[in-house]
Amino acid sequence: MIAFVQPTSGEVFWYLANGVSKPFFEALLALFAREAGAGRDRIIVLVLDNAGWHTEPGLAVPEGVRLVHLPPYSPELQPAECLWPVLDEPLANKHFRTIQDLDRAVAERCVALDAAPDLYKGRVGFHWWPRPTTSA
């Protein structure tokens, strides 16, 4: 599960993944940039932890996307960290017969969260986060 969240508006881009790598992350950044409208006229700053695939040398970053890496051991500063308890809530302490059943449950939860942002928006309203200079 991968999520990019705008911490002042609560807008989230959800993605399901079955692994991580530099090529995958490059493709994900390109998809996110297209879906979020990043480009010359809209610069999006992504705040990331220091996971290996986030910091690979020569990582291709799309136009309009800027990567900023958090200091080590600072998950409380990462807006997406607030989403995981909400995502996990209906999945915790349940048995899934197959990985496909788990994938389906995660996908259904993402669809439900996308349809009802009030379930998580209160968690991502970082009052100290810089406000966009134009609407997000």
Side-chain angles (χ1 to χ4, degrees):
M1 189 70 228
I2 297 165
F4 298 128
V5 60
Q6 207 291 344
T8 55
S9 72
E11 178 184 20
V12 177
F13 291 84
W14 300 96
Y15 302 97
L16 291 175
N18 61 2
V20 290
S21 65
K22 178 182 176 181
F24 170 80
F25 190 56
E26 288 175 333
L28 181 65
L29 286 175
L31 175 62
F32 169 72
R34 280 192 310 276
E35 290 183 346
R40 189 169 289 157
D41 296 326
R42 184 175 188 210
I43 305 299
I44 296 174
V45 177
L46 284 179
V47 177
L48 303 168
D49 60 22
N50 290 289
W53 58 93
H54 294 161
T55 59
E56 284 277 346
L59 183 71
V61 179
E63 182 177 22
V65 174
R66 305 291 182 271
L67 304 182
V68 174
H69 294 92
L70 291 170
Y73 310 107
S74 58
E76 70 281 359
L77 300 177
Q78 174 57 276
E81 290 296 326
C82 301
L83 298 173
W84 306 137
V86 179
L87 175 70
D88 294 344
E89 186 179 358
L91 308 173
N93 300 316
K94 291 198 176 168
H95 171 76
F96 295 93
R97 202 171 48 79
T98 66
I99 194 71
Q100 291 81 12
D101 292 341
L102 173 60
D103 285 348
R104 187 173 18 266
V106 170
E108 288 170 359
R109 182 61 173 170
C110 290
V111 169
L113 289 172
D114 201 40
D118 55 303
L119 293 174
Y120 61 82
K121 276 195 174 182
R123 295 173 180 254
V124 297
F126 289 18
H127 68 280
W128 48 268
W129 199 269
R131 299 288 187 239
T133 55
T134 60
S135 62

